[in-house]
Amino acid sequence: MNEIYSDEIRERIEGFKNKKFGPLFLEIYPSSRCNLNCIYCELHPEGTLNQNFPEDSFEKLFVEASEMGLKSVSLSGIGEPMLNPSLILRIASIARKKGIKTSMVTNGTLFNESFTKKLMGYGWDEIILSVDSPKKATLNTLRGRPYTYDKIVNSLKLINKYRKSFDSTSLNFHSVITNKNIGDLADLFLFAQKNQVSKITFDSLVTYSEKMKTLALSKNDEERLNLETSKMKNLVDQTGVLTNLFSFVQENPIRRTATLSDKPAQIPPCLVPWFRMVIFPGGDARPCCNFYEPVDSFIGKSFSEVWFGKKMMELRERLLGATKFPCCNVCPSGLLIQSKTCSDAFSGDLTPFHKALENK
């Protein structure tokens, strides 16, 4: 859903000074509230932030971004997107007409017959359910609500029922590895196969708080994880479920323990703000899901005014340099890969990016 192609990147950067193109990828966070209370989430229980950005404003910005060459939109966020179902259906309708790929990350507990049928009818492309364990007790504990497992199972049935009717939608899982579920991974693949899930993407725990540290993997846990995954190759192949598990365990930090108080990261130039934008529930503009403070605000502004605005241009300039922000220490592996792909499109020569900043 978030593939980057070299030819597109070159065309966009070369046309950047003429304000011709917007982002390839747009993330919209429809809600700051959540109906769960996951023990590894920094969001307050029940989403007490309760920020609201008018649906009409979200829709207007999405339409403008689509007219600037947008390829993909993802609904996810600091809350549960399906607490704003009417916005999801509005986005689905527009995306279908404009040929924009659609994705949603959800805790999977709020699907009902009517909504699911409508969403599949719009040809929604991808639904990613947050499922950390196939075991009822473990999943309910991690998600902080006793009804989580049963509601997810019901949602899986509804999604599979209607995506067959409309021949649409890839169904995937996202799973955070903690010391509570490292023994459940093999069974998770069998659970995915049973429910016609195509892919499981694993992610590491970010320990923002003392409570989250209780879920972090110890050295013994990491050794166990490596041993368990080394035995799972044949099983995973048999299920036919795609996954990043093996490369994730071998190549990625299993423990992302950095916090916002750490020193700024010293990593390669970040090109994410050149092809991605995130709109937060209160209208904040940020370059990625990980960025800890607003760069600008969409309140009273068009998409173009923010995308090509002074604040975003200054951010792009800083991220081309060696010094990044503290939040860059816990950058998701997917964004790192996208940034590298963007750099590789220019064989590592960032001169075109610096030229695009000359008139900022």
Side-chain angles (χ1 to χ4, degrees), residues 47-80:
T48 52
L49 294 174
N50 201 26
Q51 297 169 323
N52 291 300
F53 193 50
E55 284 189 24
D56 289 346
S57 298
F58 272 124
E59 181 178 320
K60 181 179 179 181
L61 292 169
F62 175 55
V63 170
E64 186 182 353
S66 71
E67 294 169 350
M68 297 168 67
L70 184 69
K71 298 292 184 181
S72 171
V73 62
S74 175
L75 305 183
S76 55
I78 60 174
E80 170 52 43

Side-chain angles (χ1 to χ4, degrees), residues 92-106:
S93 176
I94 297 167
R96 182 179 185 179
K97 294 174 185 175
K98 294 182 175 293
I100 295 171
K101 295 291 185 180
T102 50
S103 178
M104 176 168 61
V105 182
T106 167

